Structures are given as structure tokens and as C-alpha cells.
Amino acid sequence: MAKKPHIIVLGNEKGGTGKSTVSMHVIISLLRMGFTVGSIDVDARQGTLTRYMDNRKATSDGMQNPLPLSTHIPLLPSQLSLKEEAIKEDYQNLEEALNQLSSKRFIVIDTPGSDSPLSRAAHAMADTLLTPLNDSFIDLDMLVRLKSDSLDILRPSTYAEMVWEQKKQRAIRDQGSIEWIVLRNRLSSINARNKEQMEEVIQALAKRIGFRYIPGFGERVIFRELFLSGLTVLDLEDCKIPITLSHVSAKQELRNLIHMIQLPDVERLAA
């Protein structure tokens, strides 16, 4: 009997945290490991992941040996005027996209940097929820409210509360669970006091509201430069791009990230 796809959702209600970059690198990592992968962009109005995929296909079409590509589906939010009907249509469209990708081992869903019924529906489908977070207290505010003078935790933010609501919805729907992982992105190599404070607060918050914390990608120009060609750090050799020390470090960060997410079958394959 075929396994159900494992659904990975990239979610954060703040834009600019690197959701699409992480999405693309997770997708290509899994493809290069030999897994079948589908991808869904429920932020198709902005469409960063969809444009990333289009750029990748354009690059691949000009190569003798094509690059690995996921089966990609962009979804736009419903335009129906009645809220209840729009929410119903959003759920139906997401269900249809998931059904189209049901033969894949993994499905990666990129969500918008805002709250919407379609984004909430995607969160509720997650087996693994990845929340990239820039290494700043501005981004941390999406998860928690802090006392300014002591950095004590006051309460979870609206996004954290939304995730807990979708966890409950998932449990009600199919008795399933969502593993929530927060990853700090754009980490500086400088050991500043702000960086230490972020570490302390996130570690305390992880225990309080129930996520697992892992480091993400460092602040590297390479991650932004690759977008226009649709490439990832795993494609550089195939595209005859000279490898620098920064590229080597970026690839190691990606390997560490995939290892720490602990996806099913991935660890067995890497062993």
C-alpha cells in the first residue's frame, strides 16, 4: 500500500522571512535524494515560489541535462463575494490540488505572509510546519509578545494562537498531529548580544508553546542571487558555476537543515 504524502508547510504571517527560499531548497533536496515531490503555492498572487519554479524551468530547458523539478500547482484565493462560499471554495481548491499530488512522497506548500482562509487551510493540512524567522525581535513579535524591559514572555502572538487552532482542527479531522519547527534565518556570523538574547527567548518560548527550534540559513548573498535562474545551492556544479567557500558553507547549512527537520524516510536514506 502506497504511503500518504508527507505534507510540509512553510508558514509565517510576516513577509520577507525566507519561506520561498527554504521551500525551494527543501523541494530540490528531496528531489535529489530520489523522492517524488509536489509543490503548492497558496501565495500565488505574489507568487514567489511559482516564479522561482518558472525561472528554474527556463534555465533547465536550456540545459543538456535537465534539472529536477517538482510537480507544481499555484493557487489563487477565491474571488467569491460571500465569505462562507469563498472559504468553502478555497478548501475545495486545496483539496483538489492535494489529490492531484497524492502519488508524491512529499508535498511542500508555501503560504503567504498574511492571514487568509487558504493559508489557514494549508496549515491545518501540515504534517510538518516550518516557520522561518529572521534573527530579529521584529520578526519574533510574530510568535510572542515580550516585556520590553526584561524580555519576559507575556503571551503568544496571534500567529502562534492560529497554529494551535489548526493543530486542534487537524486532530479533530483525522487524529493527526502537526510538528511545528521554528528555524532562525539570516543568522549573522557575529556573536552579538542581540543574537544571544534571541537564542534565550526562543529556547524559552519553544518549551512554552510547543515548537522545536533549529537554525536555518545564514545571511548569504548566494541565496538571493539564485532566484533569477531558479537554482539552489545543490545545482551549482550541474550549471558549471565556480564553487566558493561561501557556497560550500551554504550547502552544509542545507544538509544540516534537512537532517534536523527529521522527515520520514530521509534519515533512513542518509544512513
Side-chain angles (χ1 to χ4, degrees):
M1 183 177 177
K3 294 180 180 178
K4 289 176 59 179
H6 186 91
I7 299 175
I8 306 163
V9 173
L10 277 290
N12 187 332
E13 288 177 10
K14 186 181 185 303
T17 59
K19 290 191 298 293
S20 298
T21 298
V22 174
S23 295
M24 192 66 166
H25 280 77
V26 169
I27 289 166
I28 304 309
S29 293
L30 294 172
L31 285 169
R32 287 190 175 276
M33 289 177 184
F35 295 109
T36 55
V37 183
S39 53
I40 301 174
D41 188 353
V42 300
D43 189 16
R45 179 168 290 166
Q46 180 171 330
T48 305
L49 181 61
T50 298
R51 293 202 311 279
Y52 209 146
M53 287 292 182
D54 290 343
N55 294 344
R56 184 176 183 82
K57 187 176 187 309
T59 298
S60 180
D61 288 346
M63 296 176 62
Q64 184 174 358
N65 297 313
L67 295 168
L69 288 159
S70 64
T71 302
H72 185 69
I73 300 175
L75 289 181
L76 287 167
S78 171
Q79 298 302 303
L80 294 176
S81 56
L82 291 177
K83 182 179 178 180
E84 293 78 9
E85 292 183 2
I87 292 174
K88 183 178 180 181
E89 184 176 59
D90 282 337
Y91 272 74
Q92 289 174 341
N93 289 341
L94 180 58
E95 290 273 10
E96 183 178 333
L98 291 170
N99 287 336
Q100 290 180 43
L101 301 172
S102 61
S103 64
K104 307 299 183 183
R105 181 64 189 98
F106 294 97
I107 299 174
V108 178
I109 305 178
D110 193 20
T111 65
S114 60
D115 186 19
S116 70
L118 190 52
S119 179
R120 287 180 177 240
H123 277 72
M125 299 292 182
D127 296 304
T128 300
L129 171 62
L130 299 179
T131 298
L133 192 75
N134 287 335
D135 206 35
S136 77
F137 284 105
I138 294 174
D139 280 37
L140 188 60
D141 193 63
M142 290 302 301
L143 290 181
V144 66
R145 300 291 185 262
L146 300 173
K147 290 185 69 175
S148 60
D149 56 346
S150 64
L151 298 183
D152 288 339
I153 297 169
L154 294 174
R155 65 185 185 279
S157 71
T158 52
Y159 179 72
E161 290 172 350
M162 186 277 284
V163 170
W164 270 101
E165 178 59 32
Q166 302 318 308
K167 282 189 170 191
K168 288 192 290 184
Q169 293 299 323
R170 173 68 192 276
I172 292 169
R173 188 179 72 248
D174 61 7
Q175 291 77 54
S177 62
I178 300 173
E179 183 180 21
W180 187 14
I181 301 172
V182 172
L183 57 104
R184 286 167 70 193
N185 250 353
R186 296 175 179 161
L187 290 166
S188 169
S189 58
I190 300 172
N191 191 27
R193 176 57 182 155
N194 180 81
K195 187 175 179 181
E196 294 175 0
Q197 290 176 323
M198 282 285 293
E199 178 85 20
E200 292 167 5
V201 172
I202 289 178
Q203 294 284 12
L205 187 60
K207 297 175 182 177
R208 177 161 172 177
I209 65 175
F211 61 76
R212 186 157 59 85
Y213 154 68
I214 63 175
F217 296 145
E219 180 57 79
R220 299 183 188 280
V221 175
I222 183 65
F223 289 116
R224 296 191 293 275
E225 289 180 336
L226 293 173
F227 170 78
L228 290 177
S229 54
L231 300 178
T232 71
V233 296
L234 299 178
D235 303 311
L236 303 179
E237 292 180 15
D238 288 351
C239 295
K240 306 296 190 292
I241 296 174
I243 305 298
T244 68
L245 286 176
S246 180
H247 296 158
V248 173
S249 298
K251 288 178 71 173
Q252 186 59 51
E253 286 177 353
L254 178 57
R255 281 193 289 268
N256 292 342
L257 176 66
I258 296 298
H259 171 70
M260 287 185 286
I261 296 173
Q262 298 176 4
L263 295 169
D265 295 344
V266 170
E267 292 305 299
R268 174 186 55 78
L269 186 68

